[in-house]
Amino acid sequence: MPKGYWIARVDVTDADGYQAYVKANAEAFRKFGARFIIRGGQFEAPEGTPRARNVVLEFTDYATAVACYQSAEYQAAKALRVGKSVADVIIIEGYDGIQP
């Protein structure tokens, strides 16, 4: 079964306020077994419009990734992020097929 992922692109507008979100999201991420694959770091954007921060979280499967986002724990954390950042978040199923 393919893994599930969150891909988030974020511009933080209030760094101090954003820290409350970072602390609060850990509860949901632990509960649903999230694992950071990418959390910030150096990047290049040869196409499109980038945001300042990029994050990829890995979950056991797609259903777990969706359940984490919809959970009361994450929604409470997300409420702390609103007004302190602008984010694009997608939840996507991984690929387990043939590789080139």
PDB file of all heavy atoms in Angstrom, residues 12-43:
ATOM      1  N   VAL A  12       5.812  32.334   6.393  1.00  0.00           N
ATOM      2  CA  VAL A  12       5.524  32.727   7.772  1.00  0.00           C
ATOM      3  C   VAL A  12       5.532  34.251   7.843  1.00  0.00           C
ATOM      4  O   VAL A  12       6.498  34.888   7.430  1.00  0.00           O
ATOM      5  CB  VAL A  12       6.548  32.119   8.747  1.00  0.00           C
ATOM      6  CG1 VAL A  12       6.314  32.614  10.168  1.00  0.00           C
ATOM      7  CG2 VAL A  12       6.498  30.587   8.684  1.00  0.00           C
ATOM      8  N   THR A  13       4.450  34.817   8.361  1.00  0.00           N
ATOM      9  CA  THR A  13       4.337  36.279   8.460  1.00  0.00           C
ATOM     10  C   THR A  13       4.550  36.784   9.889  1.00  0.00           C
ATOM     11  O   THR A  13       4.747  37.970  10.096  1.00  0.00           O
ATOM     12  CB  THR A  13       2.957  36.742   7.955  1.00  0.00           C
ATOM     13  OG1 THR A  13       1.940  36.063   8.693  1.00  0.00           O
ATOM     14  CG2 THR A  13       2.795  36.442   6.470  1.00  0.00           C
ATOM     15  N   ASP A  14       4.476  35.880  10.867  1.00  0.00           N
ATOM     16  CA  ASP A  14       4.688  36.221  12.281  1.00  0.00           C
ATOM     17  C   ASP A  14       5.456  35.063  12.911  1.00  0.00           C
ATOM     18  O   ASP A  14       4.872  34.094  13.387  1.00  0.00           O
ATOM     19  CB  ASP A  14       3.334  36.425  12.974  1.00  0.00           C
ATOM     20  CG  ASP A  14       3.441  36.686  14.468  1.00  0.00           C
ATOM     21  OD1 ASP A  14       4.545  36.579  15.049  1.00  0.00           O
ATOM     22  OD2 ASP A  14       2.396  36.978  15.082  1.00  0.00           O
ATOM     23  N   ALA A  15       6.788  35.156  12.866  1.00  0.00           N
ATOM     24  CA  ALA A  15       7.643  34.053  13.314  1.00  0.00           C
ATOM     25  C   ALA A  15       7.412  33.680  14.771  1.00  0.00           C
ATOM     26  O   ALA A  15       7.365  32.500  15.116  1.00  0.00           O
ATOM     27  CB  ALA A  15       9.110  34.394  13.085  1.00  0.00           C
ATOM     28  N   ASP A  16       7.257  34.664  15.644  1.00  0.00           N
ATOM     29  CA  ASP A  16       7.036  34.359  17.061  1.00  0.00           C
ATOM     30  C   ASP A  16       5.694  33.670  17.262  1.00  0.00           C
ATOM     31  O   ASP A  16       5.603  32.667  17.966  1.00  0.00           O
ATOM     32  CB  ASP A  16       7.110  35.631  17.905  1.00  0.00           C
ATOM     33  CG  ASP A  16       8.519  36.218  17.950  1.00  0.00           C
ATOM     34  OD1 ASP A  16       9.494  35.447  17.769  1.00  0.00           O
ATOM     35  OD2 ASP A  16       8.636  37.439  18.146  1.00  0.00           O
ATOM     36  N   GLY A  17       4.651  34.179  16.632  1.00  0.00           N
ATOM     37  CA  GLY A  17       3.329  33.576  16.751  1.00  0.00           C
ATOM     38  C   GLY A  17       3.258  32.187  16.138  1.00  0.00           C
ATOM     39  O   GLY A  17       2.528  31.320  16.618  1.00  0.00           O
ATOM     40  N   TYR A  18       4.012  31.960  15.092  1.00  0.00           N
ATOM     41  CA  TYR A  18       4.021  30.674  14.395  1.00  0.00           C
ATOM     42  C   TYR A  18       4.555  29.553  15.290  1.00  0.00           C
ATOM     43  O   TYR A  18       4.191  28.393  15.118  1.00  0.00           O
ATOM     44  CB  TYR A  18       4.872  30.811  13.127  1.00  0.00           C
ATOM     45  CG  TYR A  18       4.803  29.637  12.188  1.00  0.00           C
ATOM     46  CD1 TYR A  18       3.732  29.484  11.319  1.00  0.00           C
ATOM     47  CD2 TYR A  18       5.830  28.701  12.126  1.00  0.00           C
ATOM     48  CE1 TYR A  18       3.679  28.426  10.427  1.00  0.00           C
ATOM     49  CE2 TYR A  18       5.781  27.641  11.245  1.00  0.00           C
ATOM     50  CZ  TYR A  18       4.710  27.507  10.397  1.00  0.00           C
ATOM     51  OH  TYR A  18       4.666  26.444   9.522  1.00  0.00           O
ATOM     52  N   GLN A  19       5.396  29.899  16.238  1.00  0.00           N
ATOM     53  CA  GLN A  19       5.983  28.884  17.116  1.00  0.00           C
ATOM     54  C   GLN A  19       4.922  28.132  17.930  1.00  0.00           C
ATOM     55  O   GLN A  19       5.091  26.955  18.243  1.00  0.00           O
ATOM     56  CB  GLN A  19       7.030  29.511  18.043  1.00  0.00           C
ATOM     57  CG  GLN A  19       8.294  29.924  17.307  1.00  0.00           C
ATOM     58  CD  GLN A  19       8.867  28.802  16.466  1.00  0.00           C
ATOM     59  OE1 GLN A  19       9.118  27.696  16.942  1.00  0.00           O
ATOM     60  NE2 GLN A  19       9.065  29.080  15.181  1.00  0.00           N
ATOM     61  N   ALA A  20       3.818  28.792  18.267  1.00  0.00           N
ATOM     62  CA  ALA A  20       2.730  28.112  18.990  1.00  0.00           C
ATOM     63  C   ALA A  20       2.149  26.996  18.125  1.00  0.00           C
ATOM     64  O   ALA A  20       1.822  25.912  18.620  1.00  0.00           O
ATOM     65  CB  ALA A  20       1.646  29.106  19.385  1.00  0.00           C
ATOM     66  N   TYR A  21       2.031  27.238  16.823  1.00  0.00           N
ATOM     67  CA  TYR A  21       1.555  26.211  15.893  1.00  0.00           C
ATOM     68  C   TYR A  21       2.536  25.045  15.829  1.00  0.00           C
ATOM     69  O   TYR A  21       2.137  23.883  15.888  1.00  0.00           O
ATOM     70  CB  TYR A  21       1.357  26.815  14.495  1.00  0.00           C
ATOM     71  CG  TYR A  21       1.280  25.778  13.405  1.00  0.00           C
ATOM     72  CD1 TYR A  21       0.154  24.970  13.265  1.00  0.00           C
ATOM     73  CD2 TYR A  21       2.340  25.579  12.524  1.00  0.00           C
ATOM     74  CE1 TYR A  21       0.088  24.002  12.276  1.00  0.00           C
ATOM     75  CE2 TYR A  21       2.279  24.620  11.537  1.00  0.00           C
ATOM     76  CZ  TYR A  21       1.156  23.822  11.419  1.00  0.00           C
ATOM     77  OH  TYR A  21       1.093  22.863  10.443  1.00  0.00           O
ATOM     78  N   VAL A  22       3.816  25.341  15.729  1.00  0.00           N
ATOM     79  CA  VAL A  22       4.842  24.293  15.645  1.00  0.00           C
ATOM     80  C   VAL A  22       4.778  23.389  16.876  1.00  0.00           C
ATOM     81  O   VAL A  22       4.837  22.161  16.763  1.00  0.00           O
ATOM     82  CB  VAL A  22       6.249  24.914  15.477  1.00  0.00           C
ATOM     83  CG1 VAL A  22       7.336  23.860  15.608  1.00  0.00           C
ATOM     84  CG2 VAL A  22       6.345  25.628  14.140  1.00  0.00           C
ATOM     85  N   LYS A  23       4.621  23.974  18.042  1.00  0.00           N
ATOM     86  CA  LYS A  23       4.527  23.180  19.278  1.00  0.00           C
ATOM     87  C   LYS A  23       3.243  22.356  19.304  1.00  0.00           C
ATOM     88  O   LYS A  23       3.245  21.190  19.694  1.00  0.00           O
ATOM     89  CB  LYS A  23       4.601  24.083  20.505  1.00  0.00           C
ATOM     90  CG  LYS A  23       5.976  24.669  20.721  1.00  0.00           C
ATOM     91  CD  LYS A  23       5.995  25.622  21.900  1.00  0.00           C
ATOM     92  CE  LYS A  23       7.362  26.291  21.988  1.00  0.00           C
ATOM     93  NZ  LYS A  23       7.389  27.358  22.962  1.00  0.00           N
ATOM     94  N   ALA A  24       2.148  22.946  18.887  1.00  0.00           N
ATOM     95  CA  ALA A  24       0.844  22.269  18.962  1.00  0.00           C
ATOM     96  C   ALA A  24       0.688  21.166  17.920  1.00  0.00           C
ATOM     97  O   ALA A  24       0.026  20.153  18.193  1.00  0.00           O
ATOM     98  CB  ALA A  24      -0.283  23.294  18.803  1.00  0.00           C
ATOM     99  N   ASN A  25       1.273  21.316  16.733  1.00  0.00           N
ATOM    100  CA  ASN A  25       1.074  20.293  15.707  1.00  0.00           C
ATOM    101  C   ASN A  25       1.753  18.976  16.050  1.00  0.00           C
ATOM    102  O   ASN A  25       1.379  17.920  15.542  1.00  0.00           O
ATOM    103  CB  ASN A  25       1.466  20.791  14.311  1.00  0.00           C
ATOM    104  CG  ASN A  25       2.949  20.986  14.103  1.00  0.00           C
ATOM    105  OD1 ASN A  25       3.798  20.374  14.726  1.00  0.00           O
ATOM    106  ND2 ASN A  25       3.273  21.885  13.178  1.00  0.00           N
ATOM    107  N   ALA A  26       2.721  19.009  16.934  1.00  0.00           N
ATOM    108  CA  ALA A  26       3.445  17.791  17.312  1.00  0.00           C
ATOM    109  C   ALA A  26       2.513  16.721  17.882  1.00  0.00           C
ATOM    110  O   ALA A  26       2.722  15.531  17.661  1.00  0.00           O
ATOM    111  CB  ALA A  26       4.547  18.122  18.308  1.00  0.00           C
ATOM    112  N   GLU A  27       1.483  17.125  18.586  1.00  0.00           N
ATOM    113  CA  GLU A  27       0.543  16.159  19.164  1.00  0.00           C
ATOM    114  C   GLU A  27      -0.137  15.341  18.061  1.00  0.00           C
ATOM    115  O   GLU A  27      -0.173  14.114  18.126  1.00  0.00           O
ATOM    116  CB  GLU A  27      -0.509  16.878  20.010  1.00  0.00           C
ATOM    117  CG  GLU A  27      -1.512  15.933  20.640  1.00  0.00           C
ATOM    118  CD  GLU A  27      -2.578  16.655  21.449  1.00  0.00           C
ATOM    119  OE1 GLU A  27      -2.501  17.889  21.619  1.00  0.00           O
ATOM    120  OE2 GLU A  27      -3.495  15.955  21.912  1.00  0.00           O
ATOM    121  N   ALA A  28      -0.662  16.010  17.058  1.00  0.00           N
ATOM    122  CA  ALA A  28      -1.321  15.302  15.949  1.00  0.00           C
ATOM    123  C   ALA A  28      -0.310  14.465  15.179  1.00  0.00           C
ATOM    124  O   ALA A  28      -0.595  13.315  14.818  1.00  0.00           O
ATOM    125  CB  ALA A  28      -2.011  16.297  15.019  1.00  0.00           C
ATOM    126  N   PHE A  29       0.861  15.003  14.933  1.00  0.00           N
ATOM    127  CA  PHE A  29       1.856  14.276  14.152  1.00  0.00           C
ATOM    128  C   PHE A  29       2.302  13.002  14.869  1.00  0.00           C
ATOM    129  O   PHE A  29       2.473  11.962  14.242  1.00  0.00           O
ATOM    130  CB  PHE A  29       3.050  15.170  13.825  1.00  0.00           C
ATOM    131  CG  PHE A  29       2.708  16.327  12.908  1.00  0.00           C
ATOM    132  CD1 PHE A  29       3.563  17.402  12.800  1.00  0.00           C
ATOM    133  CD2 PHE A  29       1.545  16.347  12.147  1.00  0.00           C
ATOM    134  CE1 PHE A  29       3.278  18.469  11.944  1.00  0.00           C
ATOM    135  CE2 PHE A  29       1.227  17.406  11.307  1.00  0.00           C
ATOM    136  CZ  PHE A  29       2.112  18.468  11.211  1.00  0.00           C
ATOM    137  N   ARG A  30       2.464  13.066  16.181  1.00  0.00           N
ATOM    138  CA  ARG A  30       2.806  11.856  16.952  1.00  0.00           C
ATOM    139  C   ARG A  30       1.671  10.844  16.885  1.00  0.00           C
ATOM    140  O   ARG A  30       1.889   9.654  16.648  1.00  0.00           O
ATOM    141  CB  ARG A  30       3.094  12.213  18.413  1.00  0.00           C
ATOM    142  CG  ARG A  30       4.522  12.554  18.706  1.00  0.00           C
ATOM    143  CD  ARG A  30       4.805  12.602  20.193  1.00  0.00           C
ATOM    144  NE  ARG A  30       3.959  13.545  20.916  1.00  0.00           N
ATOM    145  CZ  ARG A  30       4.199  14.840  21.056  1.00  0.00           C
ATOM    146  NH1 ARG A  30       5.270  15.363  20.508  1.00  0.00           N
ATOM    147  NH2 ARG A  30       3.387  15.606  21.725  1.00  0.00           N
ATOM    148  N   LYS A  31       0.456  11.311  17.124  1.00  0.00           N
ATOM    149  CA  LYS A  31      -0.710  10.419  17.158  1.00  0.00           C
ATOM    150  C   LYS A  31      -0.880   9.657  15.844  1.00  0.00           C
ATOM    151  O   LYS A  31      -1.243   8.479  15.849  1.00  0.00           O
ATOM    152  CB  LYS A  31      -1.973  11.231  17.452  1.00  0.00           C
ATOM    153  CG  LYS A  31      -3.238  10.403  17.493  1.00  0.00           C
ATOM    154  CD  LYS A  31      -4.458  11.252  17.833  1.00  0.00           C
ATOM    155  CE  LYS A  31      -5.726  10.423  17.832  1.00  0.00           C
ATOM    156  NZ  LYS A  31      -6.901  11.248  18.174  1.00  0.00           N
ATOM    157  N   PHE A  32      -0.597  10.314  14.709  1.00  0.00           N
ATOM    158  CA  PHE A  32      -0.822   9.689  13.409  1.00  0.00           C
ATOM    159  C   PHE A  32       0.472   9.174  12.766  1.00  0.00           C
ATOM    160  O   PHE A  32       0.465   8.764  11.606  1.00  0.00           O
ATOM    161  CB  PHE A  32      -1.553  10.671  12.483  1.00  0.00           C
ATOM    162  CG  PHE A  32      -2.984  10.876  12.905  1.00  0.00           C
ATOM    163  CD1 PHE A  32      -3.329  11.887  13.781  1.00  0.00           C
ATOM    164  CD2 PHE A  32      -3.990  10.025  12.455  1.00  0.00           C
ATOM    165  CE1 PHE A  32      -4.641  12.069  14.199  1.00  0.00           C
ATOM    166  CE2 PHE A  32      -5.299  10.186  12.861  1.00  0.00           C
ATOM    167  CZ  PHE A  32      -5.633  11.212  13.741  1.00  0.00           C
ATOM    168  N   GLY A  33       1.550   9.169  13.513  1.00  0.00           N
ATOM    169  CA  GLY A  33       2.801   8.575  13.033  1.00  0.00           C
ATOM    170  C   GLY A  33       3.473   9.332  11.901  1.00  0.00           C
ATOM    171  O   GLY A  33       4.156   8.730  11.074  1.00  0.00           O
ATOM    172  N   ALA A  34       3.321  10.643  11.860  1.00  0.00           N
ATOM    173  CA  ALA A  34       3.938  11.445  10.800  1.00  0.00           C
ATOM    174  C   ALA A  34       5.453  11.449  10.951  1.00  0.00           C
ATOM    175  O   ALA A  34       5.990  11.402  12.053  1.00  0.00           O
ATOM    176  CB  ALA A  34       3.417  12.878  10.852  1.00  0.00           C
ATOM    177  N   ARG A  35       6.110  11.506   9.812  1.00  0.00           N
ATOM    178  CA  ARG A  35       7.574  11.581   9.788  1.00  0.00           C
ATOM    179  C   ARG A  35       7.978  12.679   8.815  1.00  0.00           C
ATOM    180  O   ARG A  35       7.541  12.700   7.663  1.00  0.00           O
ATOM    181  CB  ARG A  35       8.141  10.240   9.319  1.00  0.00           C
ATOM    182  CG  ARG A  35       9.640  10.154   9.360  1.00  0.00           C
ATOM    183  CD  ARG A  35      10.109   8.727   9.085  1.00  0.00           C
ATOM    184  NE  ARG A  35      10.243   8.458   7.683  1.00  0.00           N
ATOM    185  CZ  ARG A  35      11.371   8.611   6.978  1.00  0.00           C
ATOM    186  NH1 ARG A  35      12.461   9.052   7.559  1.00  0.00           N
ATOM    187  NH2 ARG A  35      11.401   8.332   5.695  1.00  0.00           N
ATOM    188  N   PHE A  36       8.782  13.633   9.303  1.00  0.00           N
ATOM    189  CA  PHE A  36       9.259  14.706   8.436  1.00  0.00           C
ATOM    190  C   PHE A  36      10.262  14.137   7.433  1.00  0.00           C
ATOM    191  O   PHE A  36      11.246  13.522   7.822  1.00  0.00           O
ATOM    192  CB  PHE A  36       9.921  15.825   9.240  1.00  0.00           C
ATOM    193  CG  PHE A  36       8.945  16.721   9.939  1.00  0.00           C
ATOM    194  CD1 PHE A  36       8.637  16.523  11.277  1.00  0.00           C
ATOM    195  CD2 PHE A  36       8.326  17.751   9.258  1.00  0.00           C
ATOM    196  CE1 PHE A  36       7.734  17.342  11.922  1.00  0.00           C
ATOM    197  CE2 PHE A  36       7.417  18.589   9.894  1.00  0.00           C
ATOM    198  CZ  PHE A  36       7.117  18.374  11.239  1.00  0.00           C
ATOM    199  N   ILE A  37       9.994  14.359   6.157  1.00  0.00           N
ATOM    200  CA  ILE A  37      10.924  14.015   5.084  1.00  0.00           C
ATOM    201  C   ILE A  37      11.700  15.276   4.695  1.00  0.00           C
ATOM    202  O   ILE A  37      12.897  15.237   4.463  1.00  0.00           O
ATOM    203  CB  ILE A  37      10.165  13.461   3.852  1.00  0.00           C
ATOM    204  CG1 ILE A  37       9.319  12.247   4.215  1.00  0.00           C
ATOM    205  CG2 ILE A  37      11.111  13.161   2.701  1.00  0.00           C
ATOM    206  CD1 ILE A  37      10.106  11.059   4.714  1.00  0.00           C
ATOM    207  N   ILE A  38      10.984  16.385   4.625  1.00  0.00           N
ATOM    208  CA  ILE A  38      11.570  17.694   4.343  1.00  0.00           C
ATOM    209  C   ILE A  38      10.981  18.669   5.355  1.00  0.00           C
ATOM    210  O   ILE A  38       9.773  18.670   5.586  1.00  0.00           O
ATOM    211  CB  ILE A  38      11.242  18.163   2.905  1.00  0.00           C
ATOM    212  CG1 ILE A  38      11.872  17.211   1.891  1.00  0.00           C
ATOM    213  CG2 ILE A  38      11.690  19.607   2.682  1.00  0.00           C
ATOM    214  CD1 ILE A  38      11.363  17.400   0.487  1.00  0.00           C
ATOM    215  N   ARG A  39      11.840  19.467   5.953  1.00  0.00           N
ATOM    216  CA  ARG A  39      11.376  20.468   6.925  1.00  0.00           C
ATOM    217  C   ARG A  39      12.257  21.696   6.779  1.00  0.00           C
ATOM    218  O   ARG A  39      13.268  21.843   7.462  1.00  0.00           O
ATOM    219  CB  ARG A  39      11.457  19.900   8.340  1.00  0.00           C
ATOM    220  CG  ARG A  39      10.788  20.777   9.365  1.00  0.00           C
ATOM    221  CD  ARG A  39      10.796  20.108  10.721  1.00  0.00           C
ATOM    222  NE  ARG A  39       9.933  20.820  11.637  1.00  0.00           N
ATOM    223  CZ  ARG A  39       9.774  20.497  12.895  1.00  0.00           C
ATOM    224  NH1 ARG A  39      10.417  19.453  13.401  1.00  0.00           N
ATOM    225  NH2 ARG A  39       8.983  21.198  13.669  1.00  0.00           N
ATOM    226  N   GLY A  40      11.889  22.546   5.820  1.00  0.00           N
ATOM    227  CA  GLY A  40      12.716  23.710   5.538  1.00  0.00           C
ATOM    228  C   GLY A  40      13.901  23.298   4.682  1.00  0.00           C
ATOM    229  O   GLY A  40      13.819  22.380   3.881  1.00  0.00           O
ATOM    230  N   GLY A  41      15.008  23.956   4.859  1.00  0.00           N
ATOM    231  CA  GLY A  41      16.216  23.606   4.126  1.00  0.00           C
ATOM    232  C   GLY A  41      16.390  24.410   2.860  1.00  0.00           C
ATOM    233  O   GLY A  41      15.487  25.091   2.376  1.00  0.00           O
ATOM    234  N   GLN A  42      17.572  24.300   2.333  1.00  0.00           N
ATOM    235  CA  GLN A  42      17.940  25.011   1.111  1.00  0.00           C
ATOM    236  C   GLN A  42      17.124  24.463  -0.054  1.00  0.00           C
ATOM    237  O   GLN A  42      16.894  23.258  -0.156  1.00  0.00           O
ATOM    238  CB  GLN A  42      19.426  24.801   0.858  1.00  0.00           C
ATOM    239  CG  GLN A  42      19.964  25.520  -0.330  1.00  0.00           C
ATOM    240  CD  GLN A  42      21.466  25.332  -0.470  1.00  0.00           C
ATOM    241  OE1 GLN A  42      22.162  25.005   0.478  1.00  0.00           O
ATOM    242  NE2 GLN A  42      21.968  25.541  -1.667  1.00  0.00           N
ATOM    243  N   PHE A  43      16.682  25.348  -0.945  1.00  0.00           N
ATOM    244  CA  PHE A  43      15.950  24.901  -2.125  1.00  0.00           C
ATOM    245  C   PHE A  43      16.157  25.870  -3.270  1.00  0.00           C
ATOM    246  O   PHE A  43      16.614  26.992  -3.083  1.00  0.00           O
ATOM    247  CB  PHE A  43      14.452  24.723  -1.828  1.00  0.00           C
ATOM    248  CG  PHE A  43      13.696  26.015  -1.646  1.00  0.00           C
ATOM    249  CD1 PHE A  43      13.044  26.610  -2.723  1.00  0.00           C
ATOM    250  CD2 PHE A  43      13.626  26.632  -0.409  1.00  0.00           C
ATOM    251  CE1 PHE A  43      12.344  27.805  -2.555  1.00  0.00           C
ATOM    252  CE2 PHE A  43      12.936  27.813  -0.232  1.00  0.00           C
ATOM    253  CZ  PHE A  43      12.291  28.410  -1.310  1.00  0.00           C
TER     254      PHE A  43
END
